[in-house]
């Protein structure tokens, strides 16, 4: 949770930083992984980001100074800053301050989010060039079973996002027996059609690379026994999703 150092300095909690990221937005990215997430997705491979009270405390200005060291790379590659997680929307005041500083310094900004935060979305999106939106599930029951959350909170964010001109990338994890059915993909397609500013759609195959973390943290892995998703099948599903 964001708090104050002294009187005027807002602090955020950060899990980790990737300085030369290539997957979370266009160009070379400075990716900041925010600490904290309310969702408990069955396939989450970063359970160490869940607890909002962990991570390293840092001010927005300190984080900006770290990012500015790579500004030359951003300019050459048309890259910038990506706030990921965990869930960056759980630290709205800190996120807003950091994004505003980035924009003042001419940096492209992106948020990698499941849209499950604490509000203030209109203000946050004023400083956001790109939203990488992770759509967890397509209906209320499936969303609850997979994430433990209420899909209405996701729609609270999405309805505000749709009212802006922010560019959007869509991501969706395909899990065997859970999010890989034809009806499911059709519902996903119907949801995506509601957006006007989508530049990219990615279906990501479910994998089990994070299982070891659950063992180390003594947390039951809810999708135990589910095999990794076939990449070739996902590619065909993606082609179908992108077709008219």
């Amino acid at each position: 949770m964001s708090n104050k150092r002294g009187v005027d300095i807002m602090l955020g909690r950060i899990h980790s930083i990737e300085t030369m990221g290539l997957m979370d937005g266009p160009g070379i990215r400075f990716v900041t992984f925010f600490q904290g997430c309310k969702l408990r997705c069955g396939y989450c491979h970063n359970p160490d980001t869940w607890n909002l009270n962990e991570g390293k405390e840092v001010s927005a200005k300190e984080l900006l100074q770290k990012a500015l060291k790579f500004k030359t790379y951003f300019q050459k590659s048309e890259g910038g800053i990506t706030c990921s997680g965990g869930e960056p929307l759980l630290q709205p005041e800190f996120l807003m301050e950091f994004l505003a500083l980035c924009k003042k310094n001419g940096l492209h900004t992106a948020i990698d989010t499941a849209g499950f935060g604490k509000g203030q979305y209109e203000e946050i999106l004023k400083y956001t060039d790109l939203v990488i939106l992770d759509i967890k599930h397509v209906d209320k029951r499936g969303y609850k079973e997979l994430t433990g959350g209420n899909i209405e909170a996701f729609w609270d964010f999405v309805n505000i996002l749709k009212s802006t001109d922010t560019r959007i990338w869509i991501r969706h994890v395909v899990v065997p027996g859970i999010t890989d059915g034809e009806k499911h993909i059709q519902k996903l397609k119907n949801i995506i059609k509601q957006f006007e500013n989508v530049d990219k759609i990615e279906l990501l195959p479910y994998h089990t690379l994070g299982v070891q973390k659950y063992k180390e943290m003594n947390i039951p892995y809810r999708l135990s026994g589910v095999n990794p998703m076939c990449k070739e099948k996902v590619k065909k599903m993606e082609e179908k999703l992108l077709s008219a």
Side-chain angles (χ1 to χ4, degrees):
M1 182 179 296
S2 299
N3 53 68
K4 297 283 187 178
R5 178 192 293 163
V7 177
D8 298 318
I9 302 177
M10 176 68 64
L11 298 179
R13 288 189 176 271
I14 301 302
H15 175 269
S16 57
I17 292 171
E18 182 179 358
T19 56
M20 301 287 279
L22 297 173
M23 303 298 293
D24 300 301
I28 295 173
R29 315 294 298 182
F30 179 90
V31 186
T32 301
F33 296 92
F34 280 52
Q35 188 72 30
C37 185
K38 288 185 177 180
L39 298 179
R40 295 294 180 266
C41 301
Y43 53 72
C44 178
H45 56 276
N46 289 316
D48 46 332
T49 66
W50 289 349
N51 191 338
L52 189 54
N53 295 315
E54 296 181 355
K56 181 181 180 180
E57 287 189 332
V58 63
S59 73
K61 289 183 178 180
E62 289 171 340
L63 195 56
L64 174 69
Q65 290 305 311
K66 292 179 184 292
L68 287 176
K69 296 177 182 178
F70 303 90
K71 189 171 183 179
T72 300
Y73 296 99
F74 304 152
Q75 293 172 333
K76 290 182 178 179
S77 68
E78 298 185 350
I81 308 298
T82 298
C83 297
S84 187
E87 174 53 73
L89 295 180
L90 282 184
Q91 301 185 57
E93 295 89 358
F94 176 74
L95 174 63
M96 203 183 311
E97 182 178 347
F98 177 57
L99 292 174
L101 287 174
C102 289
K103 295 308 298 176
K104 286 181 181 179
N105 283 271
L107 302 180
H108 180 276
T109 57
I111 299 175
D112 184 356
T113 176
F116 205 91
K118 296 175 66 176
Q120 302 186 51
Y121 301 141
E122 296 96 336
E123 289 299 314
I124 291 170
L125 292 172
K126 288 179 181 178
Y127 306 108
T128 306
D129 296 310
L130 171 69
V131 169
I132 303 172
L133 183 64
D134 186 358
I135 300 179
K136 302 294 185 181
H137 208 283
V138 297
D139 59 53
K140 185 173 183 179
R141 179 178 178 180
Y143 194 94
K144 182 69 175 180
E145 291 177 350
L146 184 63
T147 73
N150 188 332
I151 199 171
E152 296 304 321
F154 164 78
W155 282 109
D156 287 343
F157 174 74
V158 165
N159 288 331
I160 292 173
L161 175 61
K162 289 192 295 183
S163 70
T164 73
D165 59 0
T166 306
R167 307 313 301 178
I168 301 169
W169 287 10
I170 300 290
R171 285 179 173 171
H172 183 69
V173 178
V174 182
V175 185
I178 299 177
T179 60
D180 64 338
E182 289 190 14
K183 290 184 179 179
H184 178 95
I185 296 301
Q186 183 58 50
K187 287 183 180 180
L188 176 63
K189 188 173 185 176
N190 293 338
I191 290 174
I192 294 174
K193 285 182 178 179
Q194 298 181 35
F195 297 97
E196 295 183 356
N197 304 321
V198 177
D199 295 332
K200 189 174 184 179
I201 300 172
E202 295 179 299
L203 294 185
L204 307 176
Y206 163 75
H207 62 73
T208 57
L209 298 179
V211 173
Q212 185 59 35
K213 286 186 180 180
Y214 287 79
K215 294 179 180 178
E216 294 172 356
M217 298 177 67
N218 197 28
I219 301 174
Y221 187 69
R222 293 197 291 117
L223 297 186
S224 178
V226 177
N227 293 322
M229 187 69 197
C230 173
K231 294 181 180 180
E232 288 74 17
K233 183 177 179 180
V234 171
K235 186 177 181 180
K236 291 180 180 179
M237 293 170 66
E238 191 172 86
E239 291 173 353
K240 187 174 182 180
L241 182 65
L242 294 174
S243 64

